[in-house]
Structure formats: structure tokens, C-alpha cells
Amino acid sequence: MAGNDALAQAARAKADEFYTQLTDIERELKNYKQHLKGKAVYCNCDDPRVSNFFHYFSYNFNQLGLKKLTTTCYKNQNADLFSRNDSEIAIWLEYDGDKSGNGVPDPEEVGIKPLVGDGDFRSAETSELLKQADIVATNPPFSLFREYLAQLMEYDKKFLIIGSLNAITYNDIFKFIRADKLWLGYGF
């Protein structure tokens, strides 16, 4: 419940960089293992240096049977509680599994590539990465939740996103629930 309170506070404050706890990710995503096998997963709102989504998928890559993991994040110009702001460029990472056999995503196994733009999920270059993904998993920016979900629907993507429960009351979100295109997760 404490994590839920923090999530609600972040939503009210429009704190777009609220990072989801690893235990919450594990608790929810354990229910989708059969849907992830052989899939390319894209975390398009996740700074891989601090993202628990990246941590979960990279450390469980082989057990989940993933094909590929890609992650991008918005280049934050402001240092704050959640961002170290220690990079001058936005990056994207691609990981296709443990090659050394140590069960850890080593730096030489993770392909780090610069983005031309700022890494915004709406940009042309991140949209191209989105097209390549089978499943999107992330905690999208609260203030852009409607726009974020609309993009996933436009590209007809399967997704596992964690967001504010209040979002289901938005007319433009509730219509997807009513049309059986959006469901609440197991933890709710």
C-alpha cells in the first residue's frame, strides 16, 4: 500500500519520472511469462541506468525466453531525485541475452547507441523502435498517459504498462476497457 501511495502522490504532482519498484514489476510480470517467450520487448520510457523494468528484463532475459530487449529514455535536462543527469545525449540500449554465462548483463553485452533526438517516445526514431517491438513494458509519463496509450493503440502494440489507477476514469481510456482492448493487471 505504501508504494501505491507514492505512485498516487507522483501522479498528483505530475512527477513523470516516478520509478516503479522492482517488487511491483516482479509481482505483476510473473503472470505474463508465457506471453513474453520469444518476444522483442521495448521499454520506451526507461532510463536503463536506473530503470527497474530494464533490470527485471535483462536479469531474467534467458528465463523469460526473450528475443531482444530495447530501452530508450527521454533526455532529461534537469537533475532531480530520479535522474542523475550525467549524460549529454539520449541513448538507446539493445540487449539480446547473456553471452558470458554469468547470468548478468555485462556492459560489453549491452549495445549502447546514441539517439539523434531527445528520446521522447513520440519522436520518429523511437517510433521506429516501437514498430520493431512485439511488446511494450514501462511506466509511462503520467502527464502524457493519454497520448502514450493512444500511440500504443495506433501502432496496435501489445503492452504491459503500470500507471495511475485513476487513468481508467478518463473517457478516452475507459473506451478501451469497454471495447475489451485494455485490462487491469493481476495486482489490481
Side-chain angles (χ1 to χ4, degrees), residues 30-132:
K30 72 180 179 184
N31 299 292
Y32 302 96
K33 287 182 180 181
Q34 72 275 16
H35 301 287
L36 295 167
K37 188 173 178 117
K39 303 296 184 193
V41 175
Y42 183 31
C43 303
N44 60 345
C45 297
D46 293 271
D47 184 336
R49 296 164 291 202
V50 294
S51 168
N52 284 321
F53 279 98
F54 178 76
H55 179 91
Y56 175 81
F57 285 117
S58 63
Y59 278 81
N60 294 288
F61 190 92
N62 293 332
Q63 297 90 323
L64 294 170
L66 297 179
K67 178 171 57 176
K68 179 172 66 170
L69 172 62
T70 305
T71 183
T72 58
C73 66
Y74 186 76
K75 180 184 166 189
N76 189 349
Q77 299 295 323
N78 303 311
D80 62 21
L81 176 63
F82 302 109
S83 174
R84 294 191 306 243
N85 193 28
D86 57 1
S87 177
E88 293 298 317
I89 59 168
I91 58 169
W92 66 285
L93 298 182
E94 190 170 81
Y95 181 65
D96 62 358
D98 179 31
K99 306 291 187 251
S100 67
N102 66 357
V104 176
D106 298 314
E108 58 275 357
E109 296 171 332
V110 179
I112 302 172
K113 302 167 186 169
L115 288 167
V116 175
D118 60 11
D120 188 302
F121 71 87
R122 300 165 291 190
S123 72
E125 63 187 330
T126 59
S127 293
E128 284 303 313
L129 294 170
L130 176 64
K131 290 177 188 176
Q132 299 170 28

Side-chain angles (χ1 to χ4, degrees), residues 90-185:
I91 58 169
W92 66 285
L93 298 182
E94 190 170 81
Y95 181 65
D96 62 358
D98 179 31
K99 306 291 187 251
S100 67
N102 66 357
V104 176
D106 298 314
E108 58 275 357
E109 296 171 332
V110 179
I112 302 172
K113 302 167 186 169
L115 288 167
V116 175
D118 60 11
D120 188 302
F121 71 87
R122 300 165 291 190
S123 72
E125 63 187 330
T126 59
S127 293
E128 284 303 313
L129 294 170
L130 176 64
K131 290 177 188 176
Q132 299 170 28
D134 298 310
I135 297 175
V136 177
T138 193
N139 174 3
F142 290 119
S143 64
L144 300 171
F145 191 84
R146 290 175 173 110
E147 191 172 348
Y148 183 81
L149 187 59
Q151 182 190 49
L152 294 177
M153 294 299 185
E154 175 187 340
Y155 285 99
D156 195 27
K157 289 297 169 184
K158 296 194 181 311
F159 55 89
L160 299 161
I161 57 175
I162 295 179
S164 171
L165 195 53
N166 292 334
I168 65 171
T169 65
Y170 306 155
N171 284 337
D172 46 348
I173 303 297
F174 187 73
K175 71 180 181 184
F176 295 124
I177 294 172
R178 190 175 44 231
D180 204 27
K181 294 181 178 184
L182 178 67
W183 310 270
L184 297 180

